[in-house]
Amino acid sequence: MQHYLLSVVQPADGRPPATEELAEIMRNVEAFNDELRAAGAWVFSGGLHGPETATMLRPEGGDVLVTDGPYAEGKEYLGGVCLIRAADLDEALAWGRKAALATTLPIEVRPFADQH
């Protein structure tokens, strides 16, 4: 089994869904996580606060410079992550499709490097 990162891509200019719609999305996300757990594919998942809460740490001249804000400004940002186990990319993409349907947001699927 390999590990894959499912990244939830959140639009920066998006408005939060209405209360009822958000409740349905959250039920769908919980059902998705339950399905991952039942299949033995779930490792970790969680949502993130917006990029305005980010703090950057950059090495500079033997020290570390600390600044507020995201690494880069953009039209989208990382809204959450899900770390899964999957036999191969096809299986990871199948989970990614389910995540996209549950969250109603784009999902980026990436394998971890140097897995054996």
Side-chain angles (χ1 to χ4, degrees):
M1 294 294 249
Q2 296 184 0
H3 287 100
Y4 291 85
L5 181 66
L6 308 182
S7 301
V8 180
V9 180
Q10 182 77 39
D13 61 355
R15 293 189 185 102
T19 304
E20 300 81 25
E21 185 181 358
L22 182 57
E24 181 179 351
I25 290 168
M26 295 312 295
R27 282 191 300 274
N28 292 338
V29 168
E30 188 58 36
F32 169 71
N33 285 332
D34 289 345
E35 186 178 355
L36 280 170
R37 286 183 185 97
W42 187 87
V43 176
F44 172 82
S45 64
L48 298 169
H49 288 285
E52 69 279 359
T53 66
T55 303
M56 287 301 303
L57 303 157
R58 289 185 175 88
E60 187 173 296
D63 199 3
V64 177
L65 177 64
V66 179
T67 58
D68 290 336
Y71 170 71
E73 299 284 330
K75 295 180 182 181
E76 301 169 324
Y77 63 90
L78 182 62
V81 297
C82 183
L83 177 59
I84 65 167
R85 287 182 204 93
D88 55 30
L89 180 59
D90 289 337
E91 184 178 325
L93 292 174
W95 286 116
R97 285 182 189 93
K98 290 181 180 194
L101 291 171
T103 62
T104 71
L105 293 168
I107 302 293
E108 178 184 73
V109 177
R110 292 179 68 182
F112 278 79
D114 298 326
Q115 296 187 77
H116 301 282

